[in-house]
Amino acid sequence: MPAVAALLRSLLALLAILPGLLTGFLVGGLTLDRRRAINASLRTWAWLGPLAAGIRFDIEGAEYLDTARPAVFVFNHQCTIDPLLIVSLLRHDIVGIAKREIRRNPVLGPAFAWADVVFVDRFDHERALEQLSPARDALARGLSVAIAPEGTRSRDAALGTFKKGAFHLAMSAGVPVVPIVFHDSQKLMPKGARLMRPGCVRVTVMEPVDTKTWLPENLDNAVGALEGEYRRLLGVVLD
């Protein structure tokens, strides 16, 4: 029976995106406002998804999720369902960055496309910044962007090296970076697992980082300092 419950919980959490889409279509039809429609979809999934999955949050610094928008929200990517967690935290006026492979997912692909998610080819390093141009346009329109600077999910929750694309994006748009630290989201769906587990996720939202003084020549230092702060909060000690 526990396996059946886990299967049902996982299916309901995934399929919760469908009533979100329906809500968005209804709001869009009534208001003729695409952004309001997308926000309605996001809020509905943000409510129903964690409810179905049995996910709760213990958030430190929750006030920073709204005070610095528009912003580039960066997070450490521990778990397959981090997109649901990010939507649950941010809820509205956001554009996500996702790997191109998700576009082929029969449920998430169309839903993410409807929500204006920017799909990128992680292996096309030469066009890395060019691929983020739709996200730059979104920031100019007052929307925020959510992106995992590691570029891919980490192994065993270990923090990967930060790539600089997210920080170039924030610097060029003149918006702050808001770091989000997932301490233990991997326990909800460990790497290789197919079913979600219920639980409480501990989250730290750091103070917004002003990027207006950043320059291309000191970007490595700024990114390195932020990555070091993630490692400190995650309890990782480097030799």
PDB file of all heavy atoms in Angstrom, residues 41-70:
ATOM      1  N   SER A  41      -2.341  30.318 -13.779  1.00  0.00           N
ATOM      2  CA  SER A  41      -1.862  28.937 -13.908  1.00  0.00           C
ATOM      3  C   SER A  41      -0.800  28.630 -12.866  1.00  0.00           C
ATOM      4  O   SER A  41      -0.831  27.582 -12.207  1.00  0.00           O
ATOM      5  CB  SER A  41      -1.279  28.715 -15.311  1.00  0.00           C
ATOM      6  OG  SER A  41      -2.278  28.759 -16.304  1.00  0.00           O
ATOM      7  N   LEU A  42       0.161  29.546 -12.719  1.00  0.00           N
ATOM      8  CA  LEU A  42       1.253  29.332 -11.767  1.00  0.00           C
ATOM      9  C   LEU A  42       0.734  29.225 -10.342  1.00  0.00           C
ATOM     10  O   LEU A  42       1.136  28.333  -9.582  1.00  0.00           O
ATOM     11  CB  LEU A  42       2.264  30.479 -11.869  1.00  0.00           C
ATOM     12  CG  LEU A  42       3.058  30.583 -13.173  1.00  0.00           C
ATOM     13  CD1 LEU A  42       3.898  31.864 -13.169  1.00  0.00           C
ATOM     14  CD2 LEU A  42       3.950  29.369 -13.376  1.00  0.00           C
ATOM     15  N   ARG A  43      -0.154  30.129  -9.968  1.00  0.00           N
ATOM     16  CA  ARG A  43      -0.664  30.116  -8.593  1.00  0.00           C
ATOM     17  C   ARG A  43      -1.454  28.841  -8.305  1.00  0.00           C
ATOM     18  O   ARG A  43      -1.379  28.291  -7.193  1.00  0.00           O
ATOM     19  CB  ARG A  43      -1.540  31.349  -8.358  1.00  0.00           C
ATOM     20  CG  ARG A  43      -0.764  32.654  -8.247  1.00  0.00           C
ATOM     21  CD  ARG A  43      -1.674  33.776  -7.777  1.00  0.00           C
ATOM     22  NE  ARG A  43      -0.949  35.015  -7.536  1.00  0.00           N
ATOM     23  CZ  ARG A  43      -0.928  36.049  -8.362  1.00  0.00           C
ATOM     24  NH1 ARG A  43      -1.635  35.999  -9.493  1.00  0.00           N
ATOM     25  NH2 ARG A  43      -0.241  37.131  -8.072  1.00  0.00           N
ATOM     26  N   THR A  44      -2.213  28.378  -9.284  1.00  0.00           N
ATOM     27  CA  THR A  44      -3.006  27.165  -9.072  1.00  0.00           C
ATOM     28  C   THR A  44      -2.103  25.959  -8.899  1.00  0.00           C
ATOM     29  O   THR A  44      -2.306  25.135  -7.990  1.00  0.00           O
ATOM     30  CB  THR A  44      -3.967  26.942 -10.256  1.00  0.00           C
ATOM     31  OG1 THR A  44      -4.809  28.079 -10.409  1.00  0.00           O
ATOM     32  CG2 THR A  44      -4.836  25.713 -10.029  1.00  0.00           C
ATOM     33  N   TRP A  45      -1.080  25.825  -9.759  1.00  0.00           N
ATOM     34  CA  TRP A  45      -0.135  24.701  -9.623  1.00  0.00           C
ATOM     35  C   TRP A  45       0.660  24.831  -8.322  1.00  0.00           C
ATOM     36  O   TRP A  45       0.927  23.835  -7.643  1.00  0.00           O
ATOM     37  CB  TRP A  45       0.789  24.653 -10.822  1.00  0.00           C
ATOM     38  CG  TRP A  45       1.580  23.374 -10.916  1.00  0.00           C
ATOM     39  CD1 TRP A  45       1.139  22.117 -10.611  1.00  0.00           C
ATOM     40  CD2 TRP A  45       2.938  23.214 -11.346  1.00  0.00           C
ATOM     41  NE1 TRP A  45       2.135  21.188 -10.831  1.00  0.00           N
ATOM     42  CE2 TRP A  45       3.243  21.838 -11.276  1.00  0.00           C
ATOM     43  CE3 TRP A  45       3.907  24.112 -11.775  1.00  0.00           C
ATOM     44  CZ2 TRP A  45       4.503  21.331 -11.626  1.00  0.00           C
ATOM     45  CZ3 TRP A  45       5.154  23.610 -12.142  1.00  0.00           C
ATOM     46  CH2 TRP A  45       5.449  22.235 -12.055  1.00  0.00           C
ATOM     47  N   ALA A  46       1.029  26.065  -7.949  1.00  0.00           N
ATOM     48  CA  ALA A  46       1.785  26.300  -6.720  1.00  0.00           C
ATOM     49  C   ALA A  46       1.000  25.871  -5.482  1.00  0.00           C
ATOM     50  O   ALA A  46       1.584  25.490  -4.463  1.00  0.00           O
ATOM     51  CB  ALA A  46       2.159  27.769  -6.606  1.00  0.00           C
ATOM     52  N   TRP A  47      -0.331  25.933  -5.562  1.00  0.00           N
ATOM     53  CA  TRP A  47      -1.167  25.516  -4.442  1.00  0.00           C
ATOM     54  C   TRP A  47      -1.453  24.018  -4.480  1.00  0.00           C
ATOM     55  O   TRP A  47      -1.250  23.300  -3.500  1.00  0.00           O
ATOM     56  CB  TRP A  47      -2.477  26.314  -4.464  1.00  0.00           C
ATOM     57  CG  TRP A  47      -3.510  25.804  -3.492  1.00  0.00           C
ATOM     58  CD1 TRP A  47      -3.359  25.661  -2.144  1.00  0.00           C
ATOM     59  CD2 TRP A  47      -4.833  25.352  -3.798  1.00  0.00           C
ATOM     60  NE1 TRP A  47      -4.510  25.143  -1.585  1.00  0.00           N
ATOM     61  CE2 TRP A  47      -5.429  24.946  -2.579  1.00  0.00           C
ATOM     62  CE3 TRP A  47      -5.564  25.256  -4.976  1.00  0.00           C
ATOM     63  CZ2 TRP A  47      -6.724  24.451  -2.519  1.00  0.00           C
ATOM     64  CZ3 TRP A  47      -6.873  24.769  -4.915  1.00  0.00           C
ATOM     65  CH2 TRP A  47      -7.439  24.369  -3.701  1.00  0.00           C
ATOM     66  N   LEU A  48      -1.897  23.524  -5.644  1.00  0.00           N
ATOM     67  CA  LEU A  48      -2.330  22.138  -5.736  1.00  0.00           C
ATOM     68  C   LEU A  48      -1.165  21.143  -5.745  1.00  0.00           C
ATOM     69  O   LEU A  48      -1.272  20.054  -5.174  1.00  0.00           O
ATOM     70  CB  LEU A  48      -3.170  21.934  -7.003  1.00  0.00           C
ATOM     71  CG  LEU A  48      -4.569  22.543  -7.005  1.00  0.00           C
ATOM     72  CD1 LEU A  48      -5.245  22.311  -8.355  1.00  0.00           C
ATOM     73  CD2 LEU A  48      -5.422  21.950  -5.886  1.00  0.00           C
ATOM     74  N   GLY A  49      -0.057  21.494  -6.418  1.00  0.00           N
ATOM     75  CA  GLY A  49       1.048  20.550  -6.541  1.00  0.00           C
ATOM     76  C   GLY A  49       1.616  20.122  -5.197  1.00  0.00           C
ATOM     77  O   GLY A  49       1.645  18.918  -4.888  1.00  0.00           O
ATOM     78  N   PRO A  50       2.085  21.050  -4.357  1.00  0.00           N
ATOM     79  CA  PRO A  50       2.592  20.648  -3.043  1.00  0.00           C
ATOM     80  C   PRO A  50       1.533  19.984  -2.163  1.00  0.00           C
ATOM     81  O   PRO A  50       1.848  19.078  -1.384  1.00  0.00           O
ATOM     82  CB  PRO A  50       3.053  21.978  -2.428  1.00  0.00           C
ATOM     83  CG  PRO A  50       3.335  22.846  -3.603  1.00  0.00           C
ATOM     84  CD  PRO A  50       2.300  22.475  -4.632  1.00  0.00           C
ATOM     85  N   LEU A  51       0.274  20.442  -2.282  1.00  0.00           N
ATOM     86  CA  LEU A  51      -0.803  19.827  -1.502  1.00  0.00           C
ATOM     87  C   LEU A  51      -0.943  18.352  -1.857  1.00  0.00           C
ATOM     88  O   LEU A  51      -1.027  17.485  -0.975  1.00  0.00           O
ATOM     89  CB  LEU A  51      -2.119  20.569  -1.760  1.00  0.00           C
ATOM     90  CG  LEU A  51      -3.344  20.077  -0.989  1.00  0.00           C
ATOM     91  CD1 LEU A  51      -3.161  20.313   0.508  1.00  0.00           C
ATOM     92  CD2 LEU A  51      -4.606  20.789  -1.487  1.00  0.00           C
ATOM     93  N   ALA A  52      -0.938  18.048  -3.158  1.00  0.00           N
ATOM     94  CA  ALA A  52      -1.069  16.666  -3.608  1.00  0.00           C
ATOM     95  C   ALA A  52       0.150  15.833  -3.211  1.00  0.00           C
ATOM     96  O   ALA A  52       0.027  14.655  -2.863  1.00  0.00           O
ATOM     97  CB  ALA A  52      -1.271  16.627  -5.120  1.00  0.00           C
ATOM     98  N   ALA A  53       1.325  16.431  -3.260  1.00  0.00           N
ATOM     99  CA  ALA A  53       2.558  15.702  -2.982  1.00  0.00           C
ATOM    100  C   ALA A  53       2.876  15.597  -1.499  1.00  0.00           C
ATOM    101  O   ALA A  53       3.774  14.850  -1.102  1.00  0.00           O
ATOM    102  CB  ALA A  53       3.728  16.373  -3.702  1.00  0.00           C
ATOM    103  N   GLY A  54       2.162  16.338  -0.676  1.00  0.00           N
ATOM    104  CA  GLY A  54       2.452  16.329   0.759  1.00  0.00           C
ATOM    105  C   GLY A  54       3.717  17.095   1.096  1.00  0.00           C
ATOM    106  O   GLY A  54       4.452  16.730   2.020  1.00  0.00           O
ATOM    107  N   ILE A  55       3.972  18.189   0.358  1.00  0.00           N
ATOM    108  CA  ILE A  55       5.183  18.979   0.547  1.00  0.00           C
ATOM    109  C   ILE A  55       4.869  20.223   1.373  1.00  0.00           C
ATOM    110  O   ILE A  55       3.902  20.935   1.104  1.00  0.00           O
ATOM    111  CB  ILE A  55       5.783  19.404  -0.806  1.00  0.00           C
ATOM    112  CG1 ILE A  55       6.231  18.174  -1.594  1.00  0.00           C
ATOM    113  CG2 ILE A  55       6.958  20.369  -0.604  1.00  0.00           C
ATOM    114  CD1 ILE A  55       6.638  18.487  -3.021  1.00  0.00           C
ATOM    115  N   ARG A  56       5.700  20.476   2.384  1.00  0.00           N
ATOM    116  CA  ARG A  56       5.602  21.687   3.188  1.00  0.00           C
ATOM    117  C   ARG A  56       6.949  22.412   3.125  1.00  0.00           C
ATOM    118  O   ARG A  56       7.954  21.836   2.721  1.00  0.00           O
ATOM    119  CB  ARG A  56       5.267  21.332   4.644  1.00  0.00           C
ATOM    120  CG  ARG A  56       3.885  20.710   4.813  1.00  0.00           C
ATOM    121  CD  ARG A  56       3.689  20.140   6.213  1.00  0.00           C
ATOM    122  NE  ARG A  56       4.455  18.915   6.400  1.00  0.00           N
ATOM    123  CZ  ARG A  56       5.498  18.786   7.197  1.00  0.00           C
ATOM    124  NH1 ARG A  56       5.915  19.844   7.906  1.00  0.00           N
ATOM    125  NH2 ARG A  56       6.122  17.651   7.325  1.00  0.00           N
ATOM    126  N   PHE A  57       6.948  23.687   3.529  1.00  0.00           N
ATOM    127  CA  PHE A  57       8.153  24.500   3.457  1.00  0.00           C
ATOM    128  C   PHE A  57       8.489  25.110   4.814  1.00  0.00           C
ATOM    129  O   PHE A  57       7.599  25.549   5.554  1.00  0.00           O
ATOM    130  CB  PHE A  57       7.972  25.643   2.443  1.00  0.00           C
ATOM    131  CG  PHE A  57       7.837  25.181   1.020  1.00  0.00           C
ATOM    132  CD1 PHE A  57       6.578  24.960   0.468  1.00  0.00           C
ATOM    133  CD2 PHE A  57       8.956  24.961   0.232  1.00  0.00           C
ATOM    134  CE1 PHE A  57       6.440  24.542  -0.846  1.00  0.00           C
ATOM    135  CE2 PHE A  57       8.829  24.540  -1.081  1.00  0.00           C
ATOM    136  CZ  PHE A  57       7.571  24.328  -1.617  1.00  0.00           C
ATOM    137  N   ASP A  58       9.768  25.143   5.122  1.00  0.00           N
ATOM    138  CA  ASP A  58      10.297  25.874   6.266  1.00  0.00           C
ATOM    139  C   ASP A  58      11.256  26.910   5.673  1.00  0.00           C
ATOM    140  O   ASP A  58      12.375  26.579   5.270  1.00  0.00           O
ATOM    141  CB  ASP A  58      11.039  24.918   7.208  1.00  0.00           C
ATOM    142  CG  ASP A  58      11.701  25.640   8.376  1.00  0.00           C
ATOM    143  OD1 ASP A  58      11.444  26.845   8.561  1.00  0.00           O
ATOM    144  OD2 ASP A  58      12.501  24.997   9.088  1.00  0.00           O
ATOM    145  N   ILE A  59      10.793  28.169   5.579  1.00  0.00           N
ATOM    146  CA  ILE A  59      11.511  29.188   4.809  1.00  0.00           C
ATOM    147  C   ILE A  59      12.098  30.249   5.725  1.00  0.00           C
ATOM    148  O   ILE A  59      11.388  30.867   6.527  1.00  0.00           O
ATOM    149  CB  ILE A  59      10.575  29.871   3.791  1.00  0.00           C
ATOM    150  CG1 ILE A  59       9.880  28.832   2.908  1.00  0.00           C
ATOM    151  CG2 ILE A  59      11.363  30.849   2.929  1.00  0.00           C
ATOM    152  CD1 ILE A  59       8.808  29.411   2.010  1.00  0.00           C
ATOM    153  N   GLU A  60      13.390  30.469   5.583  1.00  0.00           N
ATOM    154  CA  GLU A  60      14.061  31.578   6.235  1.00  0.00           C
ATOM    155  C   GLU A  60      14.327  32.661   5.186  1.00  0.00           C
ATOM    156  O   GLU A  60      14.854  32.369   4.123  1.00  0.00           O
ATOM    157  CB  GLU A  60      15.390  31.128   6.842  1.00  0.00           C
ATOM    158  CG  GLU A  60      16.176  32.231   7.514  1.00  0.00           C
ATOM    159  CD  GLU A  60      17.523  31.777   8.038  1.00  0.00           C
ATOM    160  OE1 GLU A  60      17.799  30.557   7.981  1.00  0.00           O
ATOM    161  OE2 GLU A  60      18.305  32.638   8.483  1.00  0.00           O
ATOM    162  N   GLY A  61      13.928  33.880   5.479  1.00  0.00           N
ATOM    163  CA  GLY A  61      14.112  34.973   4.521  1.00  0.00           C
ATOM    164  C   GLY A  61      13.014  35.053   3.475  1.00  0.00           C
ATOM    165  O   GLY A  61      13.245  35.557   2.372  1.00  0.00           O
ATOM    166  N   ALA A  62      11.817  34.592   3.806  1.00  0.00           N
ATOM    167  CA  ALA A  62      10.713  34.572   2.839  1.00  0.00           C
ATOM    168  C   ALA A  62      10.386  35.965   2.312  1.00  0.00           C
ATOM    169  O   ALA A  62       9.899  36.107   1.186  1.00  0.00           O
ATOM    170  CB  ALA A  62       9.470  33.946   3.482  1.00  0.00           C
ATOM    171  N   GLU A  63      10.694  36.993   3.092  1.00  0.00           N
ATOM    172  CA  GLU A  63      10.362  38.361   2.658  1.00  0.00           C
ATOM    173  C   GLU A  63      11.119  38.759   1.394  1.00  0.00           C
ATOM    174  O   GLU A  63      10.663  39.603   0.619  1.00  0.00           O
ATOM    175  CB  GLU A  63      10.650  39.371   3.771  1.00  0.00           C
ATOM    176  CG  GLU A  63      12.105  39.483   4.185  1.00  0.00           C
ATOM    177  CD  GLU A  63      12.535  38.502   5.271  1.00  0.00           C
ATOM    178  OE1 GLU A  63      11.835  37.482   5.452  1.00  0.00           O
ATOM    179  OE2 GLU A  63      13.572  38.763   5.921  1.00  0.00           O
ATOM    180  N   TYR A  64      12.269  38.130   1.144  1.00  0.00           N
ATOM    181  CA  TYR A  64      13.070  38.495  -0.027  1.00  0.00           C
ATOM    182  C   TYR A  64      12.522  37.897  -1.326  1.00  0.00           C
ATOM    183  O   TYR A  64      13.023  38.212  -2.401  1.00  0.00           O
ATOM    184  CB  TYR A  64      14.511  38.033   0.166  1.00  0.00           C
ATOM    185  CG  TYR A  64      15.174  38.637   1.381  1.00  0.00           C
ATOM    186  CD1 TYR A  64      15.836  37.833   2.302  1.00  0.00           C
ATOM    187  CD2 TYR A  64      15.117  40.005   1.624  1.00  0.00           C
ATOM    188  CE1 TYR A  64      16.438  38.380   3.422  1.00  0.00           C
ATOM    189  CE2 TYR A  64      15.710  40.556   2.757  1.00  0.00           C
ATOM    190  CZ  TYR A  64      16.371  39.736   3.646  1.00  0.00           C
ATOM    191  OH  TYR A  64      16.956  40.286   4.767  1.00  0.00           O
ATOM    192  N   LEU A  65      11.496  37.074  -1.215  1.00  0.00           N
ATOM    193  CA  LEU A  65      10.897  36.504  -2.427  1.00  0.00           C
ATOM    194  C   LEU A  65      10.086  37.545  -3.199  1.00  0.00           C
ATOM    195  O   LEU A  65       9.773  37.326  -4.371  1.00  0.00           O
ATOM    196  CB  LEU A  65      10.003  35.319  -2.062  1.00  0.00           C
ATOM    197  CG  LEU A  65      10.714  34.102  -1.464  1.00  0.00           C
ATOM    198  CD1 LEU A  65       9.688  33.074  -0.986  1.00  0.00           C
ATOM    199  CD2 LEU A  65      11.658  33.467  -2.483  1.00  0.00           C
ATOM    200  N   ASP A  66       9.753  38.651  -2.558  1.00  0.00           N
ATOM    201  CA  ASP A  66       8.908  39.653  -3.216  1.00  0.00           C
ATOM    202  C   ASP A  66       9.470  41.067  -3.195  1.00  0.00           C
ATOM    203  O   ASP A  66       9.024  41.906  -3.986  1.00  0.00           O
ATOM    204  CB  ASP A  66       7.522  39.673  -2.553  1.00  0.00           C
ATOM    205  CG  ASP A  66       6.691  38.460  -2.911  1.00  0.00           C
ATOM    206  OD1 ASP A  66       6.441  38.245  -4.109  1.00  0.00           O
ATOM    207  OD2 ASP A  66       6.299  37.713  -1.990  1.00  0.00           O
ATOM    208  N   THR A  67      10.429  41.348  -2.345  1.00  0.00           N
ATOM    209  CA  THR A  67      10.818  42.748  -2.144  1.00  0.00           C
ATOM    210  C   THR A  67      11.737  43.294  -3.226  1.00  0.00           C
ATOM    211  O   THR A  67      11.891  44.524  -3.322  1.00  0.00           O
ATOM    212  CB  THR A  67      11.517  42.916  -0.784  1.00  0.00           C
ATOM    213  OG1 THR A  67      12.638  42.009  -0.707  1.00  0.00           O
ATOM    214  CG2 THR A  67      10.554  42.638   0.362  1.00  0.00           C
ATOM    215  N   ALA A  68      12.363  42.446  -4.031  1.00  0.00           N
ATOM    216  CA  ALA A  68      13.381  42.944  -4.966  1.00  0.00           C
ATOM    217  C   ALA A  68      13.032  42.698  -6.435  1.00  0.00           C
ATOM    218  O   ALA A  68      13.902  42.718  -7.287  1.00  0.00           O
ATOM    219  CB  ALA A  68      14.729  42.302  -4.644  1.00  0.00           C
ATOM    220  N   ARG A  69      11.775  42.473  -6.726  1.00  0.00           N
ATOM    221  CA  ARG A  69      11.421  42.145  -8.108  1.00  0.00           C
ATOM    222  C   ARG A  69      11.372  43.389  -8.992  1.00  0.00           C
ATOM    223  O   ARG A  69      10.999  44.460  -8.501  1.00  0.00           O
ATOM    224  CB  ARG A  69      10.066  41.434  -8.142  1.00  0.00           C
ATOM    225  CG  ARG A  69      10.049  40.127  -7.374  1.00  0.00           C
ATOM    226  CD  ARG A  69       8.831  39.338  -7.755  1.00  0.00           C
ATOM    227  NE  ARG A  69       8.677  38.140  -6.954  1.00  0.00           N
ATOM    228  CZ  ARG A  69       7.952  37.090  -7.331  1.00  0.00           C
ATOM    229  NH1 ARG A  69       7.308  37.114  -8.484  1.00  0.00           N
ATOM    230  NH2 ARG A  69       7.848  36.032  -6.577  1.00  0.00           N
ATOM    231  N   PRO A  70      11.715  43.273 -10.289  1.00  0.00           N
ATOM    232  CA  PRO A  70      12.171  42.048 -10.949  1.00  0.00           C
ATOM    233  C   PRO A  70      13.598  41.696 -10.539  1.00  0.00           C
ATOM    234  O   PRO A  70      14.403  42.572 -10.217  1.00  0.00           O
ATOM    235  CB  PRO A  70      12.104  42.397 -12.438  1.00  0.00           C
ATOM    236  CG  PRO A  70      12.287  43.877 -12.477  1.00  0.00           C
ATOM    237  CD  PRO A  70      11.627  44.405 -11.234  1.00  0.00           C
TER     238      PRO A  70
END
